[in-house]
Amino acid sequence: MTSYTQFFSGTATVAGALVGLLFVALSVAPERLRGTHASVEHQAIASTAFTALVDALFVSLIGLEPGGGLDFGAVILGALGLTSSCGLAVRLWRSRAGENLSRRWPYLLGFIVLVYATQVITGLILRTPSSQASASVTFVYILFAVGIARSWELLGLHGGGPLDLLAQSLSSRQPLARGSAVPPAPPESSPGPQ
């Protein structure tokens, strides 16, 4: 367990800084989270980013405690993240008729729910301090990735990576109505004189 002390010390510092920056980012444009123009999806993005970064922060702080406790931390923090994410999924599902939601929210929220469920399960089944510490390190990495990616999305930015390009191509396709013909391909232009 002592070999992870520097890691948890560093990740606690980074997670604390990221939570602070997330608060600053949220305070810059609060109208998207509160009031008449509030978006449920935007609130869900902010909530999942905050929950992931706070989970990583507390796992890191628990990892610095003498005597461990990472198994209890994994169960408690994973259960908090799981219930929060399931509540957000219900809110998004109910608001899908009245609000224009992206097509990818069920996949992203499903992945986040899976991460928290796995965190709870590993907290329940792993018994040795070294296996608990190793699993906690993995979850800190995953939660940082989730928190940073959701914060980036919260700012309305896209990374341009392969997943973003795939999401853009899927969202740009419009389904054809039943019975409608496939639109004809544009005519090929013949090469002109050189």
Side-chain angles (χ1 to χ4, degrees), residues 22 41-55 81 84-86 88-89 92 105 108-110 112-113 116 143-151 153-154:
L22 182 59
E41 188 170 15
H42 203 72
Q43 291 171 347
I45 293 169
S47 179
T48 53
F50 178 74
T51 306
L53 293 175
V54 167
D55 190 315
S84 171
S85 299
C86 288
L88 288 171
L92 284 165
W105 76 261
L108 294 173
L109 210 50
I112 293 169
V113 165
Y116 288 126
L143 293 167
F144 271 156
V146 168
I148 292 169
R150 296 299 274 176
S151 297
E153 188 177 353
L154 184 65

Side-chain angles (χ1 to χ4, degrees), residues 15-152:
L18 289 174
V19 169
L21 288 173
L22 182 59
F23 275 113
V24 170
L26 294 176
S27 68
V28 170
E31 66 277 355
R32 296 175 73 184
L33 299 173
R34 299 186 305 247
T36 57
H37 300 294
S39 162
V40 175
E41 188 170 15
H42 203 72
Q43 291 171 347
I45 293 169
S47 179
T48 53
F50 178 74
T51 306
L53 293 175
V54 167
D55 190 315
L57 173 63
F58 279 98
V59 166
S60 299
L61 291 173
I62 293 168
L64 291 173
E65 283 182 22
L70 286 169
D71 53 346
F72 296 116
V75 171
I76 293 168
L77 293 166
L80 289 173
L82 186 61
T83 55
S84 171
S85 299
C86 288
L88 288 171
V90 170
R91 282 185 63 204
L92 284 165
W93 183 259
R94 288 180 179 163
S95 69
R96 73 190 187 284
E99 190 172 324
N100 188 18
L101 301 175
S102 71
R103 293 182 186 176
R104 61 188 200 161
W105 76 261
Y107 305 106
L108 294 173
L109 210 50
F111 171 75
I112 293 169
V113 165
L114 181 65
V115 168
Y116 288 126
T118 307
Q119 187 180 19
V120 170
I121 292 167
T122 57
L124 292 171
I125 63 172
L126 296 179
R127 290 289 163 222
T128 64
S130 63
S131 62
Q132 292 167 2
S134 179
S136 294
V137 166
T138 303
F139 282 110
V140 167
Y141 281 129
I142 293 170
L143 293 167
F144 271 156
V146 168
I148 292 169
R150 296 299 274 176
S151 297
W152 190 255

Side-chain angles (χ1 to χ4, degrees), residues 145-173:
V146 168
I148 292 169
R150 296 299 274 176
S151 297
W152 190 255
E153 188 177 353
L154 184 65
L155 296 173
L157 304 172
H158 299 284
L163 292 178
D164 280 330
L165 295 175
L166 177 64
Q168 288 173 3
S169 86
L170 289 175
S171 64
S172 68
R173 291 185 180 178

